[in-house]
Amino acid sequence: MAKQPNPARRNERSRQAILTAARDLVSEVGYAKLTIEAIAARAGVGKQTIYRWWPSKGAVIFDAFLALSEAGPEQGIALPDTGDLEADLKMVMRATAAEFADPASEAPIRALNIEMINDPGLAAQYREKLADPVNEAKKARLRSAQRAGQLAADADLDLALELLYAPLYQRWLLRSGPLTPEYADTLVEVFLKAMRPEPA
Amino acid sequence: MAKQPNPARRNERSRQAILTAARDLVSEVGYAKLTIEAIAARAGVGKQTIYRWWPSKGAVIFDAFLALSEAGPEQGIALPDTGDLEADLKMVMRATAAEFADPASEAPIRALNIEMINDPGLAAQYREKLADPVNEAKKARLRSAQRAGQLAADADLDLALELLYAPLYQRWLLRSGPLTPEYADTLVEVFLKAMRPEPA
C-alpha cells in the first residue's frame, strides 16, 4: 500500500518554499515590484495558499526574514564578555559592519528596511520580535560594563545603542561612506568616550 | 492689441506647477504609487512636457525638493556662532528634531529618503547638491569650536556630524522614539562628551 502524504509535512514544505521564494525575489526585483503572484509561481504553490497564511506582501517578507534570523529570544543571545569592553564591542561592531557590507545580504536587508520605514506597523513588529531581544542582549553586556566601572552608571542604555549603531545604519542606508573594520573600531572608540564614567 | 503670451514665463509657470504637484502627490500617495501621468494631470500639463524636462519620476521629485530647500550653497548658509557651542548646537538640533517631527513635512521627506535609500545615484546627487553645502556650514561651526578649544582639535568632523545626526535620523526613520527638544539636547550633550578635548 502506498504511503499517505503527510499534510503537515507538505504544508511545512510549502511554507519554506514560499519564504525562500520571497527572500530571493525581493533581492532580485526589490520590494516595490514584488508580487504575491511571483512568489507563488516561484514557490510552486497557488496564490490562495499564500493568502491563507499571510494577509499581505509585507507580512510574507517579514516572516521570511524572521525565519532567516538564527537568533530567537528563546535561544539566548549573548554578546561576548571577556571583561575587555572595547575589544568585545569592536568584535561585535566589525561583524555588524561586515554583515551590512556583504553584497549577499544587501538587497533583502535593504528591502526589509524600506518596508519598515514605510510601514510603522511592520517597524513595531520588527522591533518587538527581532530587535528588542537582540538589544536586550547588547544592554546586558553594557550593564556588565557599568558594574565594572567602564561605563557611566547612569548612562541611558537605549541612547547608548542608538549612538553606537545609528551612524553605521545611516552610512549603510545612504551609502555615504565605507563600512570598514576601521570605521567600526572608530565608532566604538567614540562611543566609549561619550559613555565613560566622569572622573570622581 | 492683445499681449503675446511670454513662453519663458509660461514655461516657468508649468515648471512650478509640476514641482508643486509632485510634492503634493508624493505626500498623498507615496513614492511607489506616484506616476508621471498623475503629476501631469494635477499640474494641468501634458505628460510629454514633464518628459521633456526630466528623465524620470525620481528626477522630478528630486527637483521638487531642491526647489523647496531655501538654502542653496550660493546663499551662504551659516550656523549660529555665539561662542557657546552647546547652546548653538542645541538650538540647531531642536530645530532639526521639530522639522522631522512636523506632520506636514513628514510624508514628502520620508518619500525622498526612501527613494535615496533605494537609488544610490539619487543619494549621491542629494549629497552633492543639498547635504554637502549644509554639512560644510555645520563643519565651519565645529571648526570654530575647535579653534576655541571646545572640541578636540583632531576630531574627524564627518564622523562628528554622523554621531550628532544619525541617532535622530534613525529614530525618525524607524519611528523608534519621540523627537522631543529633550532628546535633541541629550544628543548634543553626549556628542560634546565624545568630542571634547582630552585634558592635557
Side-chain angles (χ1 to χ4, degrees), chain A residues 110 114 117-118 120 127 159 162 166-167 169-171 173-176 183 186 190 193-196 198, chain B residues 110 114 117-118 120 127 159 162 166-167 169-171 173-175 183 186 190 193-196 198:
Chain A
R110 192 167 292 273
I114 286 173
I117 292 165
N118 253 322
R127 222 167 9 252
L159 179 75
E162 285 186 338
Y169 181 63
Q170 174 182 282
R171 192 178 264 222
L173 280 178
L174 299 175
R175 303 174 175 93
S176 50
Y183 179 62
T186 302
V190 81
K193 199 172 162 195
M195 292 285 149
R196 69 186 170 191
E198 294 290 340
Chain B
R110 194 167 291 272
I114 287 174
I117 293 164
N118 253 323
R127 224 168 6 255
L159 179 75
E162 284 186 337
Y169 181 65
Q170 174 181 282
R171 191 177 264 221
L173 279 178
L174 299 175
R175 301 172 176 93
Y183 179 62
T186 303
V190 81
K193 198 172 164 195
M195 292 285 149
R196 70 186 169 192
E198 295 289 341

Side-chain angles (χ1 to χ4, degrees), chain B:
Chain B
M1 200 172 110
K3 254 180 156 178
Q4 290 296 321
N6 178 335
R9 199 156 164 183
R10 200 182 50 209
N11 274 351
E12 183 51 28
R13 218 161 29 219
S14 296
R15 198 175 163 272
Q16 288 306 328
I18 292 163
L19 296 178
T20 301
R23 273 197 304 271
D24 289 351
L25 282 166
V26 88
S27 308
E28 293 167 25
V29 303
Y31 183 81
K33 288 182 184 157
L34 183 67
T35 62
I36 293 282
E37 285 77 4
I39 299 173
R42 176 75 62 98
V45 303
K47 216 169 84 168
Q48 286 316 313
T49 303
I50 299 185
Y51 281 122
R52 199 165 65 228
W53 292 333
W54 290 279
S56 68
K57 180 171 86 167
V60 185
I61 291 294
F62 183 77
D63 271 1
F65 280 94
L66 200 61
L68 198 65
S69 159
E70 300 156 332
E74 65 292 342
Q75 291 162 266
I77 320 148
L79 260 60
D81 192 349
T82 65
D84 183 341
L85 178 65
E86 183 168 339
D88 290 350
L89 289 181
K90 282 183 175 175
M91 206 185 89
V92 170
M93 291 303 285
R94 279 172 173 237
T96 304
E99 193 187 335
F100 274 110
D102 179 3
S105 53
E106 156 75 27
I109 300 185
R110 194 167 291 272
L112 177 66
N113 273 279
I114 287 174
E115 186 55 14
M116 288 195 296
I117 293 164
N118 253 323
D119 179 347
L122 195 68
Q125 206 186 349
Y126 180 87
R127 224 168 6 255
E128 189 196 323
K129 291 196 186 171
L130 279 174
D132 282 352
V134 177
N135 285 343
E136 272 312 311
K138 293 170 183 168
K139 285 195 253 178
R141 178 65 189 89
L142 298 183
R143 271 186 218 107
S144 158
Q146 285 179 313
R147 285 190 299 270
Q150 296 161 334
L151 279 191
D154 62 350
D156 175 336
L157 298 186
D158 287 302
L159 179 75
L161 291 184
E162 284 186 337
L163 200 70
L164 188 55
Y165 283 89
L168 181 70
Y169 181 65
Q170 174 181 282
R171 191 177 264 221
W172 174 75
L173 279 178
L174 299 175
R175 301 172 176 93
S176 51
L179 303 178
T180 57
E182 293 70 32
Y183 179 62
D185 288 354
T186 303
L187 287 179
V188 171
E189 286 157 20
V190 81
F191 166 80
L192 289 176
K193 198 172 164 195
M195 292 285 149
R196 70 186 169 192
E198 295 289 341

Side-chain angles (χ1 to χ4, degrees), chain A residues 14 18 36-37 39-41 43-52:
Chain A
S14 295
I18 291 164
I36 294 282
E37 286 77 4
I39 299 173
V45 303
K47 216 170 84 167
Q48 287 316 312
T49 303
I50 298 185
Y51 281 121
R52 197 164 67 231

